[in-house]
Amino acid sequence: DLVVSAVPCQYMRSVWTRLQDHVPAEVPIVSVAKGIENETLLRPTQVIADVVGGAERLAVLSGPTIADELARELPATACAAAEDESLAAGVQRTFTCPWLRVYTNVDVVGVELAGAMKNVIAIAAGIIDGVGAGDNAKAALLARGLAEITRLGLAMGAQESTFAGLTGLGDLVTTCISPKGRNRSFGERIGRGQSLEEARSATDSVVEGISTAKSVVELAARYHVEMPITRAVYDVLFESKPVRTAIEELMSRRLRAE
């Protein structure tokens, strides 16, 4: 009745290439991956459509949903997004239960971009925790991080309201404050002085924000959008920039209106 794609973004193409001959053409597919494919810069549903076709049957399920809390049936919310409103409503009915309330949205671009880019900001939040920069710094990071996420989203055709909702602000807050968040925990290890490989090897599962940082920096350049926090994360991870230097540069940027 419904295929759920929970493969991490950078592995989706190879997995769906193997699966494509076994997927009935009429069965809808809902993606729960959060990332942007390197090289192609495609979102998860675009990767699936590129391999198996049928973009009209693709949906996204996203939101502030820390996995182990869902497994313990703690109350949570999510958003089902699809260009076809009836498909979004079908995913909503499928996943709604007493402890998970699902809303619908037609802004697939915004929902997928928000879910991907918040992981990069979460790495930055973890770095702030790791260096002990404090709650004021983290609050500023979330606010300004959301601003740059929204700027790129709008440039790529997303709806502004999406970034103030569950899949934007909601997911960003959860990922940046939860001690169980993979991206935040990875960033914290970076902030404490571990190398990229040391911090990554200490994580049992895929840290999507690492690869996503590369893709978002490329998208920002393509759409001429300024994303200083994302760029700082990229420079720390891949250009060996010291964390303290990155923070000092962000704090000393040209003064401007909010």
Side-chain angles (χ1 to χ4, degrees):
D1 299 318
L2 178 70
V3 176
V4 179
S5 177
V7 180
C9 187
Q10 305 308 323
Y11 302 94
M12 292 179 70
R13 184 174 297 275
S14 61
V15 170
W16 280 101
T17 298
R18 299 202 309 272
L19 292 175
Q20 60 180 326
D21 293 337
H22 308 284
V23 183
E26 70 281 1
V27 175
I29 301 169
V30 56
S31 169
V32 297
K34 296 177 179 178
I36 299 170
E37 189 177 44
N38 295 150
E39 309 301 333
T40 67
L41 304 185
L42 296 178
R43 294 175 281 107
T45 57
Q46 291 178 309
V47 174
I48 298 172
D50 196 36
V51 177
V52 303
E56 69 284 347
R57 62 170 167 155
L58 295 174
V60 183
L61 185 66
S62 186
T65 48
I66 296 293
D68 80 314
E69 292 188 8
L70 291 180
R72 289 156 50 204
E73 300 186 5
L74 298 179
T77 54
C79 182
E83 294 179 6
D84 181 346
E85 291 187 54
S86 63
L87 174 57
V91 174
Q92 177 187 46
R93 289 191 297 271
T94 298
F95 286 94
T96 292
C97 62
W99 43 271
L100 179 62
R101 178 176 174 83
V102 181
Y103 293 80
T104 61
N105 195 325
V106 294
D107 182 18
V108 176
V109 175
V111 168
E112 287 196 297
L113 286 177
M117 290 190 284
K118 60 91 184 177
N119 283 333
V120 182
I121 305 302
I123 291 176
I127 291 173
I128 283 177
D129 289 340
V131 299
D135 293 336
N136 290 336
K138 182 178 272 192
L141 174 78
L142 266 66
R144 299 311 304 163
L146 183 62
E148 68 181 48
I149 287 172
T150 304
R151 281 199 298 271
L152 181 58
L154 294 179
M156 293 180 65
Q159 299 174 14
E160 187 168 9
S161 59
T162 298
F163 298 96
L166 289 173
T167 58
L169 177 61
D171 204 1
L172 178 66
V173 169
T174 296
T175 308
C176 288
I177 67 173
S178 173
K180 297 161 187 168
R182 291 167 293 178
N183 293 277
R184 192 214 61 80
S185 298
F186 166 82
E188 184 172 2
R189 287 189 283 273
I190 294 291
R192 289 177 176 171
Q194 291 188 10
S195 68
L196 170 63
E197 289 309 319
E198 287 171 340
R200 179 158 45 190
S201 63
T203 306
D204 292 332
S205 50
V206 175
V207 181
E208 284 278 25
I210 301 172
S211 297
T212 302
K214 294 181 178 180
S215 296
V216 176
V217 164
E218 289 189 45
L219 285 173
R222 176 182 294 182
Y223 288 91
H224 307 290
V225 173
E226 191 177 28
M227 302 187 73
I229 297 172
T230 298
R231 183 72 217 195
V233 171
Y234 177 91
D235 287 345
V236 168
L237 296 184
F238 303 111
E239 301 294 339
S240 301
K241 177 172 286 188
V243 169
R244 293 289 182 183
T245 302
I247 293 174
E248 288 169 4
E249 290 178 354
L250 286 172
M251 292 299 292
S252 60
R253 293 177 69 244
R254 180 178 59 85
L255 297 178
R256 48 172 290 184
E258 186 180 26

